[in-house]
Amino acid sequence: MKSPRAFYAPLALGAPAPFREVPARVERMIHFVPPHNAKLRERVGEMIAQVDVILGNLEDAVPVEAKLAARQGFIDMARAHDFGATGLWTRVNALNSPWLLDDITEIVAAVGDKLDVIMLPKVEGPWDIHYLDQLLAQLEARHKLARPILIHAILETAEGVNNVMDIARASPRMHGMSLGPADLAASRAMKTTRVGGGHPDYRVLADAGSAVPRAHFQQDLWHYTIARMVDACAAQGLKAFYGPFGDFSDAEACEAQFRNAFLMGCAGAWTLHPSQIAIAKRVFSPDPAEVAFARRILAAMPDGSGAVMIDGKMQDDATWKQARVMVDLADEVARRDPELAGMYRQA
Ligand code: GLV
Ligand code: MG
């Protein structure tokens, strides 16, 4: 294991020093753009103001014959726009693919100074992060980048889930993780054909004789993995995200999955379709009524200790900390989103 003293040392002479904390940014939706599609690439200019993160996707869903066009399209779209406070990410191809090395070297050379985060798919263990960490440090030094590029891992293999904690603490370059339910389902031999969401047959059945027909309740296939991901990320000061929800026709189910993830501790989700942007914005911005209640807790316990009753509910040091989380998030969202800022003020 590396010495703690060496953990924050740059991995190449001339590379920028790693961040000590993940930069604070509102990242409610990571909006996927297929950069080989010129029509969708043209819409990036207007999307920048609507989403928190624009991600150029080079991996799955890009046909093999379009891989190079997607890489070049990403470079073109990165050059063409000023992204302001909106994050610019790319999802590169997997480490074992024929494209990854050129994805990284060409993109960092061309637009490394604009790129915030590289999303790395199919991460199996800390060794994958170490490789990309070292490579990025060498390229940052070569291209004289002033700011380190962060790594975001997709948790989408059984091996990756087993190693989730070691992945989270592999490098100060880690930004966070996303659940990749489609690849994870395949890796685990789950008997589904979906991208995220539940399954009507994964349920708990009421006892025999309780009623006819017997009641049943669908369970959440992703609860276990999201919980592990959130704990690993929170323990290391990283951010956890729900990944994709593939049924664009079912906005209600998408909202339910995103909301469960938010309540469990996730910061955002992927939006693969424009209709999911408003859902993610609604879900991952705290509810003004909850924020108002949290502010009452903070006001009632100015030093954060002791116990008070508010509306018949006991509050103590621990609920004060929960209220702090809620209010801090609302303040961050308010800085990015004037409409919500107004709602948080009024509530
Ligand atoms: C995302 O990449 C997934 O596999 O769900
Ligand atoms: Mg995947």
Side-chain angles (χ1 to χ4, degrees):
M1 198 185 129
K2 194 182 260 195
S3 149
R5 283 186 217 285
F7 189 68
Y8 287 105
L11 293 182
L13 286 174
F19 291 119
R20 297 260 162 173
E21 307 275 344
V22 175
R25 271 188 132 153
V26 175
E27 292 162 335
R28 296 165 295 182
M29 71 295 288
I30 301 165
H31 189 65
F32 271 52
V33 176
H36 55 295
N37 182 324
K39 244 174 142 180
L40 293 177
R41 217 169 51 227
E42 270 165 29
R43 293 210 198 124
V44 165
E46 73 204 47
M47 299 303 297
I48 291 173
Q50 293 168 33
V51 302
D52 295 335
V53 175
I54 297 263
L55 176 144
N57 174 37
L58 312 185
E59 200 224 8
D60 291 357
V62 175
V64 165
E65 63 277 11
K67 289 289 186 188
L68 302 191
R71 186 192 300 149
Q72 188 56 48
F74 177 71
I75 291 172
D76 293 346
M77 77 184 220
R79 281 187 173 139
H81 301 283
D82 176 358
F83 289 81
T86 300
L88 176 64
W89 299 20
T90 180
R91 177 171 80 165
V92 292
N93 287 288
L95 287 166
N96 64 357
S97 76
W99 305 290
L100 181 276
L101 187 59
D102 294 335
D103 285 349
I104 302 287
T105 51
E106 290 183 21
I107 286 172
V108 175
V111 292
D113 54 339
K114 291 185 117 174
L115 187 64
D116 294 299
V117 176
I118 290 180
M119 182 183 274
L120 186 64
K122 301 175 178 68
V123 173
E124 305 258 45
W127 49 88
D128 290 336
I129 305 300
H130 294 156
Y131 169 79
L132 185 56
D133 196 9
Q134 184 70 61
L135 178 60
L136 283 173
Q138 290 170 333
L139 293 170
E140 285 165 352
R142 170 176 291 175
H143 300 294
K144 304 195 172 20
L145 299 190
R147 192 178 58 127
I149 297 166
L150 296 179
I151 300 174
H152 181 102
I154 312 183
L155 198 60
E156 56 181 352
T157 66
E159 175 81 331
V161 176
N162 279 329
N163 292 318
V164 65
M165 192 65 208
D166 291 337
I167 294 169
R169 59 175 160 226
S171 160
R173 205 186 278 282
M174 284 299 294
H175 163 278
M177 282 181 218
S178 289
L179 169 74
D183 269 301
L184 184 55
S187 167
R188 283 178 173 159
M190 288 167 64
K191 309 303 179 292
T192 54
T193 52
R194 299 167 173 227
V195 178
H199 193 287
D201 293 341
Y202 190 70
R203 57 194 187 168
V204 173
L205 191 64
D207 280 359
S210 52
V212 180
R214 285 160 72 175
H216 63 261
F217 298 94
Q218 211 173 303
Q219 306 296 298
D220 188 349
L221 283 166
W222 305 110
H223 178 83
Y224 160 81
T225 314
I226 291 178
R228 289 200 62 188
M229 175 177 70
V230 166
D231 281 344
C233 286
Q236 296 303 315
L238 312 184
K239 292 162 84 172
F241 293 75
Y242 193 87
F245 187 86
D247 186 350
F248 303 151
S249 69
D250 194 348
E252 223 178 316
C254 176
E255 180 151 352
Q257 280 280 282
F258 284 6
R259 180 154 287 112
N260 284 353
F262 177 66
L263 287 168
M264 289 275 294
C266 288
W270 303 0
T271 51
L272 304 183
H273 188 270
S275 65
Q276 296 179 332
I277 295 171
I279 300 174
K281 190 169 171 176
R282 182 158 66 242
V283 169
F284 292 101
S285 308
D287 176 1
E290 292 269 24
V291 175
F293 189 70
R295 287 198 199 284
R296 285 176 66 198
I297 298 174
L298 297 186
M301 299 172 60
D303 72 354
S305 73
V308 297
M309 297 297 288
I310 301 181
D311 298 346
K313 300 183 186 81
M314 198 261 319
Q315 314 297 332
D316 67 2
D317 308 45
T319 53
W320 186 92
K321 288 178 197 153
Q322 293 174 53
R324 193 74 263 163
V325 169
M326 190 83 77
V327 169
D328 287 349
L329 177 59
D331 288 346
E332 269 180 49
V333 169
R335 278 193 287 278
R336 170 139 187 97
D337 196 321
E339 193 188 325
L340 277 159
M343 287 166 75
Y344 293 144
R345 265 196 307 275
Q346 277 158 25

